Amino acid sequence: MSIESIIVEAAIKAVKQLYNTEVSDKQIQVQNTKPEFEGDLTIVTFPLLKISKKSPEETAKDLGAAIQELAPEISTFNVVKGFLNLSVSEKYWLNAFTTLNNSLPLANPNSKILMVEYSSPNTNKPLHLGHARNIFLGDSVAEILKAAGNKVIKTQIINDRGIHICKSMIAWMKWGNGETPSSTGEKGDHFVGRYYVLFEQHYKKEQQVLIADGMVEKDAKTKAALFQDASNLLRQWEAGDAKTVELWKTMNSWVYEGFDATYKKFGVGFEKNYYESQTYILGKKIIEEGLAKGVFFKKEDGSVWIDLTADGLDQKLLLRSDGTSVYITQDIGTAVDRYNDYKLDGIVYTVMNEQDYHFKVLFLILKKLGYSFWEGLYHLSYGMVELPSGRMKTREGTVVDADDLIDEMIATSAQSTAEKGKLDELSLEEKNDVIRKIAIGALKYYMVKVDPKRSMLFNPEESIDFNGHTGPFIQYIYVRTRSLLRKTAGENLSWKVQTISAKEKELIKKITEFPATIKEAAKLYSPAILANYCYDLAREYSAFWADHQILKAEEINTKNFRIALSKAVGDTLAQGMNLLGIEMPERM
RNA sequence: GGUUUCGUAGCUCAACUGGAUAGAGCAUCAGGCUUCGAACCUGAGGGUUGGGGGUUCGAAUCCCUUCGGGACCA
């Protein structure tokens, strides 16, 4: 049992004794004591004043005395205004340390089967900075949910059909001369993306010519010959034309090779892929059922709608008058399919917050259709990555490419690693592995430390830092602990100590908060909570390191205790960072 | 126009979801390696939490209003 719950339990009993009133654990507010005050944990007594009918100070004093009586773990207490600061005995902390169990996954009686969807790229463009946030966030949330004791299936839905891929195909047929990624040496997704851009350039010119001839912009868009070609190709694809499907498959396979290379560098993967080419027909049957149930209605032109005005939303189109579906139609179908396939308890959709409305509508429709699983749906809505100039724009060439970004990070990492010169005795392969871990660590940490809900700023002019509140800092602290262990390998490391320093106590306290931090991060779907925890722990250890002797400690028990403490810190950091998708090097 | 979201130090982010004197990093300045790894540590300066009002013992956090940015829906 955690010290916090011990205190809460004692406080509930104390209130009963003192004031003869039953309170729930919600009414006992326990928080960490601010560093400028003496104590470890603090009870805020203001909420209890109505019960005690005494001043805050008196209430706190009474409560403190009673709790000290009830919980032997509490050694002393002091009162500042309405704040009851409780000090926990050294004995308790030492015992907590020797009986520490931070192994993952946590035991979870409410374990669930969850699907986490993230990345979900289009097949006409390479991945960019925005995808990077999505991928790091989704992958990390999936790992955190796993660590919290759930069963998790990682998935992506690949947008492999539609007019966008047809555009790339047209451009390649017209101007490709049969070249392939292997013939040009390009990464497949960049190769196909280049043809998409080529299409857009020519298409734009055609429109300008038409507009110069007096056509309005809206008509020019659809009348342009290239657009007509792409639309025709899409129709052929939908009709299953063999040659078209063949080319489509080939070009998509190039893209997948490229994506896989990037995913591999990112260190992420998926257990299951969904392809829109297979899911886009889903949902229509459900629309029929919904019509029969009267959840949906048909307009005169034959289109199908749902009226959500009573819920504060609008009317939403579900099936066009020509019977073709829209995004939300397939999302309905896909969700139902997934639930049936995996007996899921929930789906987490990692999608940018510009889709907030879409998911609100989607979940509401599923609810109205009577699917009880709608309660397990969660939209992990995250903010945009902005540049100093605002949003990334393809047309203005401000898109930050994911592969370029990694390459830059690796170059920076290689440079600073060379400057430090700590890896000189390693093989080239080992060295590159460390360089990669640091580069990816810096990038991932940079993105994952920010509260997902908030939009964040990325300045391409400034390289991502390796000092301060960063991934490499935490990796470095870990490396220090590993260095100690290397130097004492084979020694008898048993210890027995009676007293500990304030910093040692803080470290033990922090380490014991690890499971609660995981739970909190899982509950709020926020890797940022875990990222900041890791940083705090690393920083505390670094301060400890600066004013404590470890290997040179005056006494063997003290030395071995500090080594054990260092190991626990290192292990905890490694576990936490791994959940963020960040690997720890042994040296750096 | 309607809905929604955000605004915290020069910059990038925190603040245990309503708690104590709003904290870190970067940048700036001053110190600290002949000693376990300095990608580090210790310290200093830097804030009317966009502005105004309200609720509360207590507000960056909740409500109203206003200004400014973003997104979504026509």
Side-chain angles (χ1 to χ4, degrees):
Chain A
M1 192 160 60
S2 73
I3 187 67
E4 200 173 321
S5 26
I6 290 172
I7 290 173
V8 170
E9 213 164 87
I12 291 173
K13 276 191 203 154
V15 170
K16 179 104 201 285
Q17 277 179 16
L18 291 167
Y19 313 117
N20 197 25
T21 309
E22 299 276 354
V23 291
S24 75
D25 51 356
K26 297 258 184 279
Q27 283 168 277
I28 307 295
Q29 264 189 59
V30 181
Q31 57 189 243
N32 281 326
T33 305
K34 299 247 167 192
E36 57 268 36
F37 299 99
E38 164 124 26
D40 297 312
L41 290 141
T42 296
I43 296 181
V44 186
T45 58
F46 293 103
L48 301 169
L49 298 184
K50 270 182 220 148
I51 294 168
S52 72
K53 302 202 170 63
K54 288 185 178 172
S55 75
E57 289 82 357
E58 271 180 279
T59 309
K61 274 182 194 156
D62 293 349
L63 211 55
I67 288 173
Q68 199 176 10
E69 203 58 34
L70 287 161
E73 294 85 356
I74 304 303
S75 53
T76 60
F77 71 92
N78 67 83
V79 174
V80 180
K81 292 192 266 179
F83 298 91
L84 170 59
N85 301 322
L86 302 163
S87 296
V88 178
S89 70
E90 290 191 330
K91 202 176 148 200
Y92 173 84
W93 291 122
L94 277 167
N95 185 51
F97 181 57
T98 50
T99 59
L100 184 73
N101 177 15
N102 276 355
S103 61
L104 298 175
L106 305 173
N108 184 347
N110 305 316
S111 177
K112 289 177 175 160
I113 305 172
L114 303 171
M115 180 173 273
V116 179
E117 178 189 295
Y118 58 99
S119 186
S120 306
N122 288 346
T123 54
N124 63 328
K125 284 177 202 161
L127 302 169
H128 58 67
L129 187 60
H131 291 108
R133 188 179 195 190
N134 182 306
I135 291 165
F136 298 156
L137 192 60
D139 196 62
S140 176
V141 164
E143 289 300 323
I144 289 168
L145 289 171
K146 248 190 244 179
N150 300 291
K151 194 169 178 303
V152 175
I153 302 151
K154 297 180 183 178
T155 190
Q156 61 175 336
I157 181 155
I158 300 169
N159 195 349
D160 61 344
R161 68 166 283 276
I163 193 80
H164 60 272
I165 183 68
C166 291
K167 289 178 176 176
S168 297
M169 286 158 70
I170 290 285
W172 185 82
M173 287 191 285
K174 277 194 184 318
W175 304 296
N177 298 317
E179 68 175 14
T180 65
S182 46
S183 79
T184 65
E186 267 170 298
K187 208 162 152 287
D189 50 338
H190 289 262
F191 179 91
V192 173
R194 186 159 57 77
Y195 280 100
Y196 182 77
V197 172
L198 202 59
F199 177 97
E200 288 295 327
Q201 285 166 350
H202 283 91
Y203 175 36
K204 183 120 199 210
K205 272 185 208 148
E206 285 189 357
Q207 288 179 61
Q208 281 164 353
V209 170
L210 291 174
I211 290 168
D213 285 351
M215 196 179 277
V216 292
E217 196 183 335
K218 196 171 148 245
D219 291 339
K221 274 202 160 118
T222 52
K223 290 286 189 298
L226 274 172
F227 185 82
Q228 294 284 326
D229 290 347
S231 305
N232 286 334
L233 198 63
L234 181 58
R235 270 190 284 277
Q236 282 173 34
W237 180 88
E238 279 174 355
D241 174 63
K243 258 178 75 183
T244 307
V245 170
E246 169 96 26
L247 177 62
W248 170 79
K249 273 190 185 155
T250 306
M251 289 187 75
N252 273 338
S253 74
W254 292 338
V255 174
Y256 299 148
E257 269 174 47
F259 284 169
D260 285 345
T262 306
Y263 288 151
K264 203 175 160 206
K265 266 197 240 175
F266 278 175
V268 301
F270 302 90
E271 274 112 29
K272 166 83 183 167
N273 288 339
Y274 285 92
Y275 297 90
E276 214 194 288
S277 55
Q278 287 155 23
T279 61
Y280 82 106
I281 7 87
L282 294 175
K284 287 194 192 179
K285 219 165 75 191
I286 297 168
I287 301 299
E288 296 299 326
E289 290 167 19
L291 271 172
K293 282 187 199 167
V295 178
F296 307 140
F297 68 94
K298 213 169 221 177
K299 287 199 176 172
E300 283 173 7
D301 63 358
S303 57
V304 179
W305 297 70
I306 184 165
D307 187 355
L308 299 172
T309 47
D311 298 276
L313 305 171
D314 298 314
Q315 294 196 349
K316 180 79 191 171
L317 176 71
L318 296 168
L319 221 50
R320 295 198 191 90
S321 52
D322 62 4
T324 57
S325 56
V326 292
Y327 267 109
I328 204 152
T329 323
Q330 24 176 318
D331 283 348
I332 293 168
T334 310
V336 173
D337 265 26
R338 288 177 181 182
Y339 268 88
N340 293 337
D341 289 350
Y342 289 93
K343 308 271 174 284
L344 293 176
D345 295 299
I347 303 177
V348 176
Y349 296 90
T350 312
V351 182
M352 206 159 67
N353 61 12
E354 59 188 5
Q355 302 276 354
D356 284 356
Y357 185 78
H358 173 83
F359 282 101
K360 223 191 260 181
V361 171
L362 174 65
F363 297 170
L364 190 55
I365 291 176
L366 286 164
K367 181 186 177 184
K368 285 186 183 290
L369 283 170
Y371 292 102
S372 58
F373 68 71
W374 75 274
E375 289 181 67
L377 298 168
Y378 184 78
H379 174 205
L380 175 49
S381 165
Y382 66 94
M384 192 170 29
V385 184
E386 282 177 275
L387 305 176
S389 57
R391 191 175 189 155
M392 289 193 292
K393 290 197 179 94
T394 315
R395 251 175 295 154
E396 289 167 25
T398 56
V399 174
V400 178
D401 181 75
D403 294 309
D404 291 349
L405 186 59
I406 296 183
D407 291 347
E408 265 174 55
M409 296 296 293
I410 287 175
T412 316
S413 170
Q415 195 193 337
S416 61
T417 302
E419 280 166 13
K420 318 265 179 206
K422 298 271 185 179
L423 304 180
D424 294 344
E425 69 269 26
L426 296 185
S427 73
L428 185 65
E429 196 182 333
E430 289 170 318
K431 216 184 271 187
N432 284 336
D433 186 53
V434 172
I435 287 168
R436 199 199 90 249
K437 282 177 182 168
I438 296 170
I440 302 288
L443 180 59
K444 281 195 184 177
Y445 192 87
Y446 178 82
M447 308 208 76
V448 110
K449 76 170 175 182
V450 181
D451 181 347
K453 291 193 290 290
R454 296 171 55 119
S455 59
M456 59 178 290
L457 195 120
F458 175 83
N459 188 349
E461 303 299 317
E462 298 167 13
S463 54
I464 292 174
D465 233 304
F466 286 60
N467 302 316
H469 188 179
T470 67
F473 168 78
I474 299 169
Q475 289 172 324
Y476 177 72
I477 300 306
Y478 171 79
V479 163
R480 274 179 171 172
T481 68
R482 302 303 290 175
S483 168
L484 292 176
L485 295 177
R486 271 198 303 276
K487 287 188 171 141
T488 55
E491 290 180 23
N492 176 1
L493 292 172
S494 62
W495 56 271
K496 194 173 175 73
V497 300
Q498 303 296 327
T499 58
I500 53 176
S501 72
K503 285 200 165 81
E504 286 165 344
K505 184 198 71 187
E506 285 304 322
L507 283 173
I508 293 172
K509 187 180 171 197
K510 197 79 192 171
I511 295 169
T512 59
E513 288 170 5
F514 183 65
T517 306
I518 303 268
K519 277 184 208 160
E520 180 81 357
K523 191 176 133 201
L524 298 177
Y525 302 89
S526 172
I529 289 170
L530 184 57
N532 285 300
Y533 168 86
C534 288
Y535 175 65
D536 289 342
L537 177 57
R539 202 159 46 93
E540 274 175 26
Y541 182 80
S542 193
F544 158 78
W545 174 285
D547 66 11
H548 286 65
Q549 305 271 19
I550 300 174
L551 295 181
K552 296 187 171 168
E554 59 281 5
E555 213 267 319
I556 183 78
N557 278 298
T558 310
K559 171 188 159 184
N560 286 350
F561 164 66
R562 288 177 183 167
I563 290 168
L565 185 58
S566 300
K567 181 177 186 305
V569 168
D571 290 348
T572 306
L573 288 177
Q575 286 195 99
M577 292 290 270
N578 282 338
L579 297 182
L580 303 174
I582 298 170
E583 295 173 82
M584 299 297 234
E586 294 298 303
R587 307 161 195 267
M588 63 192 281

